[in-house]
PDB file of all heavy atoms in Angstrom:
ATOM      1  N   GLY G1007      54.464 -17.568  35.593  1.00 43.00           N
ATOM      2  CA  GLY G1007      54.259 -18.494  36.918  1.00 43.00           C
ATOM      3  C   GLY G1007      55.711 -18.887  37.358  1.00 43.00           C
ATOM      4  O   GLY G1007      56.800 -18.449  36.860  1.00 43.00           O
ATOM      5  N   PRO G1008      55.906 -19.609  38.441  1.00 39.00           N
ATOM      6  CA  PRO G1008      57.109 -20.027  39.095  1.00 39.00           C
ATOM      7  C   PRO G1008      58.032 -20.886  38.052  1.00 39.00           C
ATOM      8  O   PRO G1008      59.256 -20.887  38.417  1.00 39.00           O
ATOM      9  CB  PRO G1008      56.752 -20.655  40.306  1.00 39.00           C
ATOM     10  CG  PRO G1008      55.329 -21.126  40.066  1.00 39.00           C
ATOM     11  CD  PRO G1008      54.755 -20.266  39.221  1.00 39.00           C
ATOM     12  N   ARG G1009      57.502 -21.519  37.220  1.00 41.00           N
ATOM     13  CA  ARG G1009      58.250 -22.360  36.282  1.00 41.00           C
ATOM     14  C   ARG G1009      58.301 -21.768  34.987  1.00 41.00           C
ATOM     15  O   ARG G1009      58.618 -22.531  33.959  1.00 41.00           O
ATOM     16  CB  ARG G1009      57.714 -23.787  36.185  1.00 41.00           C
ATOM     17  CG  ARG G1009      57.638 -24.434  37.529  1.00 41.00           C
ATOM     18  CD  ARG G1009      57.068 -25.885  37.440  1.00 41.00           C
ATOM     19  NE  ARG G1009      56.885 -26.512  38.765  1.00 41.00           N
ATOM     20  CZ  ARG G1009      56.473 -27.756  38.993  1.00 41.00           C
ATOM     21  NH1 ARG G1009      56.253 -28.497  37.912  1.00 41.00           N
ATOM     22  NH2 ARG G1009      56.472 -28.235  40.171  1.00 41.00           N
ATOM     23  N   GLY G1010      58.078 -20.546  34.797  1.00 42.00           N
ATOM     24  CA  GLY G1010      58.141 -19.952  33.518  1.00 42.00           C
ATOM     25  C   GLY G1010      56.891 -19.994  32.658  1.00 42.00           C
ATOM     26  O   GLY G1010      56.809 -19.448  31.563  1.00 42.00           O
ATOM     27  N   GLY G1011      55.979 -20.807  33.198  1.00 42.00           N
ATOM     28  CA  GLY G1011      54.611 -20.685  32.547  1.00 42.00           C
ATOM     29  C   GLY G1011      53.634 -19.707  33.135  1.00 42.00           C
ATOM     30  O   GLY G1011      53.990 -19.015  34.181  1.00 42.00           O
ATOM     31  N   PRO G1012      52.706 -19.509  32.513  1.00 41.00           N
ATOM     32  CA  PRO G1012      51.709 -18.466  33.095  1.00 41.00           C
ATOM     33  C   PRO G1012      50.936 -18.921  34.234  1.00 41.00           C
ATOM     34  O   PRO G1012      50.398 -19.984  34.411  1.00 41.00           O
ATOM     35  CB  PRO G1012      50.728 -18.369  31.872  1.00 41.00           C
ATOM     36  CG  PRO G1012      50.843 -19.588  31.188  1.00 41.00           C
ATOM     37  CD  PRO G1012      52.244 -20.185  31.390  1.00 41.00           C
ATOM     38  N   THR G1013      51.033 -18.099  35.246  1.00 38.00           N
ATOM     39  CA  THR G1013      50.372 -18.425  36.576  1.00 38.00           C
ATOM     40  C   THR G1013      49.086 -17.517  36.605  1.00 38.00           C
ATOM     41  O   THR G1013      49.076 -16.385  36.312  1.00 38.00           O
ATOM     42  CB  THR G1013      51.198 -17.994  37.759  1.00 38.00           C
ATOM     43  OG1 THR G1013      52.399 -18.760  37.660  1.00 38.00           O
ATOM     44  CG2 THR G1013      50.460 -18.315  39.103  1.00 38.00           C
ATOM     45  N   PRO G1014      47.956 -18.202  36.869  1.00 40.00           N
ATOM     46  CA  PRO G1014      46.693 -17.406  36.707  1.00 40.00           C
ATOM     47  C   PRO G1014      46.506 -16.457  37.747  1.00 40.00           C
ATOM     48  O   PRO G1014      46.906 -16.634  38.902  1.00 40.00           O
ATOM     49  CB  PRO G1014      45.693 -18.498  36.890  1.00 40.00           C
ATOM     50  CG  PRO G1014      46.339 -19.675  37.601  1.00 40.00           C
ATOM     51  CD  PRO G1014      47.728 -19.631  37.125  1.00 40.00           C
ATOM     52  N   ASP G1015      45.874 -15.345  37.323  1.00 41.00           N
ATOM     53  CA  ASP G1015      45.359 -14.346  38.359  1.00 41.00           C
ATOM     54  C   ASP G1015      46.494 -13.815  39.251  1.00 41.00           C
ATOM     55  O   ASP G1015      46.274 -14.033  40.535  1.00 41.00           O
ATOM     56  CB  ASP G1015      44.241 -14.959  39.092  1.00 41.00           C
ATOM     57  CG  ASP G1015      43.286 -13.829  39.587  1.00 41.00           C
ATOM     58  OD1 ASP G1015      43.741 -12.702  39.378  1.00 41.00           O
ATOM     59  OD2 ASP G1015      42.196 -14.143  40.134  1.00 41.00           O
ATOM     60  N   LEU G1016      47.524 -13.188  38.749  1.00 37.00           N
ATOM     61  CA  LEU G1016      48.499 -12.732  39.744  1.00 37.00           C
ATOM     62  C   LEU G1016      48.300 -11.226  39.868  1.00 37.00           C
ATOM     63  O   LEU G1016      48.187 -10.447  38.926  1.00 37.00           O
ATOM     64  CB  LEU G1016      49.874 -12.873  39.021  1.00 37.00           C
ATOM     65  CG  LEU G1016      50.273 -14.356  38.616  1.00 37.00           C
ATOM     66  CD1 LEU G1016      51.662 -14.495  38.096  1.00 37.00           C
ATOM     67  CD2 LEU G1016      50.144 -15.233  39.773  1.00 37.00           C
ATOM     68  N   GLY G1017      48.222 -10.889  41.118  1.00 41.00           N
ATOM     69  CA  GLY G1017      48.215  -9.316  41.374  1.00 41.00           C
ATOM     70  C   GLY G1017      49.495  -8.978  41.726  1.00 41.00           C
ATOM     71  O   GLY G1017      50.566  -9.762  41.909  1.00 41.00           O
ATOM     72  N   PRO G1018      49.824  -7.669  41.893  1.00 42.00           N
ATOM     73  CA  PRO G1018      51.104  -7.154  42.182  1.00 42.00           C
ATOM     74  C   PRO G1018      51.540  -7.528  43.686  1.00 42.00           C
ATOM     75  O   PRO G1018      50.744  -7.727  44.513  1.00 42.00           O
ATOM     76  CB  PRO G1018      51.008  -5.617  42.139  1.00 42.00           C
ATOM     77  CG  PRO G1018      49.439  -5.416  42.280  1.00 42.00           C
ATOM     78  CD  PRO G1018      48.801  -6.614  41.783  1.00 42.00           C
ATOM     79  N   GLY G1019      52.828  -8.012  43.790  1.00 41.00           N
ATOM     80  CA  GLY G1019      53.314  -8.354  45.120  1.00 41.00           C
ATOM     81  C   GLY G1019      53.615  -7.197  45.926  1.00 41.00           C
ATOM     82  O   GLY G1019      53.356  -6.080  45.542  1.00 41.00           O
ATOM     83  N   PRO G1020      54.149  -7.483  47.125  1.00 40.00           N
ATOM     84  CA  PRO G1020      54.364  -6.364  48.135  1.00 40.00           C
ATOM     85  C   PRO G1020      55.353  -5.386  47.746  1.00 40.00           C
ATOM     86  O   PRO G1020      55.322  -4.297  48.053  1.00 40.00           O
ATOM     87  CB  PRO G1020      54.793  -7.200  49.406  1.00 40.00           C
ATOM     88  CG  PRO G1020      55.148  -8.538  49.007  1.00 40.00           C
ATOM     89  CD  PRO G1020      54.437  -8.827  47.710  1.00 40.00           C
ATOM     90  N   ARG G1021      56.245  -5.815  46.879  1.00 40.00           N
ATOM     91  CA  ARG G1021      57.336  -4.804  46.381  1.00 40.00           C
ATOM     92  C   ARG G1021      57.039  -4.254  45.008  1.00 40.00           C
ATOM     93  O   ARG G1021      57.966  -3.845  44.315  1.00 40.00           O
ATOM     94  CB  ARG G1021      58.697  -5.544  46.400  1.00 40.00           C
ATOM     95  CG  ARG G1021      59.198  -5.944  47.763  1.00 40.00           C
ATOM     96  CD  ARG G1021      60.523  -6.627  47.704  1.00 40.00           C
ATOM     97  NE  ARG G1021      61.082  -6.887  49.095  1.00 40.00           N
ATOM     98  CZ  ARG G1021      60.719  -8.004  49.692  1.00 40.00           C
ATOM     99  NH1 ARG G1021      59.967  -8.898  49.140  1.00 40.00           N
ATOM    100  NH2 ARG G1021      61.349  -8.232  50.867  1.00 40.00           N
ATOM    101  N   GLY G1022      55.985  -4.516  44.564  1.00 42.00           N
ATOM    102  CA  GLY G1022      55.481  -4.044  43.262  1.00 42.00           C
ATOM    103  C   GLY G1022      55.690  -4.942  42.231  1.00 42.00           C
ATOM    104  O   GLY G1022      55.366  -4.784  41.141  1.00 42.00           O
ATOM    105  N   GLY G1023      56.338  -6.215  42.509  1.00 42.00           N
ATOM    106  CA  GLY G1023      56.361  -7.191  41.510  1.00 42.00           C
ATOM    107  C   GLY G1023      55.239  -8.156  41.498  1.00 42.00           C
ATOM    108  O   GLY G1023      54.462  -8.188  42.387  1.00 42.00           O
ATOM    109  N   PRO G1024      55.128  -8.870  40.446  1.00 40.00           N
ATOM    110  CA  PRO G1024      53.967  -9.827  40.361  1.00 40.00           C
ATOM    111  C   PRO G1024      54.186 -11.000  41.314  1.00 40.00           C
ATOM    112  O   PRO G1024      54.991 -11.890  40.884  1.00 40.00           O
ATOM    113  CB  PRO G1024      53.953 -10.124  38.847  1.00 40.00           C
ATOM    114  CG  PRO G1024      55.316  -9.986  38.413  1.00 40.00           C
ATOM    115  CD  PRO G1024      55.919  -8.851  39.263  1.00 40.00           C
ATOM    116  N   THR G1025      53.511 -11.158  42.285  1.00 38.00           N
ATOM    117  CA  THR G1025      53.668 -12.196  43.231  1.00 38.00           C
ATOM    118  C   THR G1025      52.390 -12.919  43.130  1.00 38.00           C
ATOM    119  O   THR G1025      51.347 -12.609  43.427  1.00 38.00           O
ATOM    120  CB  THR G1025      53.780 -11.715  44.678  1.00 38.00           C
ATOM    121  OG1 THR G1025      54.881 -10.847  44.824  1.00 38.00           O
ATOM    122  CG2 THR G1025      53.936 -12.855  45.620  1.00 38.00           C
ATOM    123  N   PRO G1026      52.552 -14.288  42.645  1.00 40.00           N
ATOM    124  CA  PRO G1026      51.189 -14.990  42.559  1.00 40.00           C
ATOM    125  C   PRO G1026      50.621 -15.464  43.836  1.00 40.00           C
ATOM    126  O   PRO G1026      51.448 -15.793  44.875  1.00 40.00           O
ATOM    127  CB  PRO G1026      51.729 -16.328  41.788  1.00 40.00           C
ATOM    128  CG  PRO G1026      53.251 -16.294  42.094  1.00 40.00           C
ATOM    129  CD  PRO G1026      53.646 -15.072  42.299  1.00 40.00           C
ATOM    130  N   ASP G1027      49.344 -15.364  43.956  1.00 40.00           N
ATOM    131  CA  ASP G1027      48.699 -15.665  45.120  1.00 40.00           C
ATOM    132  C   ASP G1027      48.670 -17.229  45.403  1.00 40.00           C
ATOM    133  O   ASP G1027      48.607 -17.629  46.448  1.00 40.00           O
ATOM    134  CB  ASP G1027      47.293 -15.108  45.073  1.00 40.00           C
ATOM    135  CG  ASP G1027      46.644 -15.040  46.445  1.00 40.00           C
ATOM    136  OD1 ASP G1027      47.284 -14.410  47.485  1.00 40.00           O
ATOM    137  OD2 ASP G1027      45.584 -15.652  46.671  1.00 40.00           O
ATOM    138  N   LEU G1028      48.664 -17.956  44.331  1.00 38.00           N
ATOM    139  CA  LEU G1028      48.419 -19.423  44.369  1.00 38.00           C
ATOM    140  C   LEU G1028      49.526 -20.099  43.617  1.00 38.00           C
ATOM    141  O   LEU G1028      50.009 -19.563  42.543  1.00 38.00           O
ATOM    142  CB  LEU G1028      47.159 -19.835  43.844  1.00 38.00           C
ATOM    143  CG  LEU G1028      45.862 -19.386  44.634  1.00 38.00           C
ATOM    144  CD1 LEU G1028      44.775 -19.925  43.967  1.00 38.00           C
ATOM    145  CD2 LEU G1028      46.039 -19.964  46.081  1.00 38.00           C
ATOM    146  N   GLY G1029      49.894 -21.124  44.051  1.00 41.00           N
ATOM    147  CA  GLY G1029      50.860 -22.015  43.297  1.00 41.00           C
ATOM    148  C   GLY G1029      50.105 -22.773  42.195  1.00 41.00           C
ATOM    149  O   GLY G1029      48.921 -22.680  42.120  1.00 41.00           O
ATOM    150  N   PRO G1030      50.855 -23.600  41.516  1.00 42.00           N
ATOM    151  CA  PRO G1030      50.180 -24.373  40.561  1.00 42.00           C
ATOM    152  C   PRO G1030      49.296 -25.453  41.093  1.00 42.00           C
ATOM    153  O   PRO G1030      49.257 -25.642  42.352  1.00 42.00           O
ATOM    154  CB  PRO G1030      51.328 -25.081  39.848  1.00 42.00           C
ATOM    155  CG  PRO G1030      52.484 -24.961  40.822  1.00 42.00           C
ATOM    156  CD  PRO G1030      52.252 -23.860  41.546  1.00 42.00           C
TER     157      PRO G1030
END
Side-chain angles (χ1 to χ4, degrees):
R1009 299 183 183 179
T1013 301
D1015 206 355
L1016 304 182
R1021 294 182 178 85
T1025 303
D1027 196 52
L1028 295 177

